Each structure stands twice: as structure tokens, then as C-alpha cells.
Amino acid sequence: MTGYAWVLEVRPGYEEEYKRRHDEIWPEMLTALRVAGIRNYSIFRHGLTLFGYFETDDLEATKARLARDPDNARWGEWMGPIMRIEIDPATEFPYLLPKQFHMD
């Protein structure tokens, strides 16, 4: 199992709305993430900066599954207006952060 991280931003003034939407995350979105192979997924916020961490056995399969999942597409459309998301054009997925250090 490999861990991956990303950084995104909440648009100014939407911090509480972002939190509320995740407190009430749709059950079908959680299912989509699990079916795509995502485990141990957490999102942290510092100011407007969001830091996400998740684990999956096969990142390419996970990205492909999410790309064709209608609930993931609907979630993205719903969250898009309150977030600033940078997509890596090479992967069509948010930029993933290179690991700098790990301690067991």
C-alpha cells in the first residue's frame, strides 16, 4: 500500500461551507472512494490550504475508476465553486506531492 498527498485551496469565505459539506459527505461518494481503492483518507486545513492524504494499492486504477464514476463527477461539480483546484495536465488528477521524508 502506498500513500499519496495533495494540496488544494478553499476559496476565501468558504471555509465553514467546505467543512460542513465534508461533515455531511454523501454515502455514495464514500462508496466511490472505497470502490476506487482509496483507504486511510484524511484532509487537513490550515487557513485556506487543504492537505489531503490517502492510500491505495494501484494509483492508476484508482484514478481511472474515479474518472468514470458519476458520483465523483457530481461531487467535483458541487465542490468546484468553493475550491481552487490545480489539475496536472499530464495526469488529469490533482498534483500529487513528492514524499520528502517518512518515519515508521
Side-chain angles (χ1 to χ4, degrees):
M1 169 176 23
T2 303
Y4 299 92
W6 51 257
V7 174
L8 301 173
E9 291 183 17
V10 176
R11 293 188 188 278
Y14 288 98
E15 300 89 339
E16 293 305 315
E17 180 62 15
Y18 180 89
K19 174 78 168 99
R20 185 187 67 76
R21 290 183 186 194
H22 280 81
D23 286 346
E24 301 170 1
I25 192 168
W26 309 332
E28 57 270 29
M29 188 61 225
L30 291 174
T31 298
L33 293 169
R34 288 185 184 107
V35 168
I38 291 178
R39 296 181 304 281
N40 195 25
Y41 190 12
S42 297
I43 301 171
F44 303 86
R45 184 174 64 83
H46 177 71
L48 298 176
T49 302
L50 300 167
F51 171 83
Y53 174 85
F54 66 95
E55 295 171 350
T56 186
D57 292 323
D58 185 340
L59 181 60
E60 294 309 312
T62 294
K63 292 189 310 188
R65 177 71 186 193
L66 289 173
R68 65 179 183 267
D69 186 279
D71 293 314
N72 184 58
R74 192 166 58 101
W75 181 263
E77 289 173 11
W78 193 53
M79 296 300 292
I82 69 169
M83 298 178 65
R84 190 172 82 73
I85 303 170
E86 288 187 59
I87 300 294
D88 181 346
T91 65
E92 297 182 9
F93 197 75
Y95 285 95
L96 295 175
L97 305 177
K99 187 181 290 185
Q100 303 296 299
F101 173 79
H102 173 77
M103 184 183 107
D104 281 327

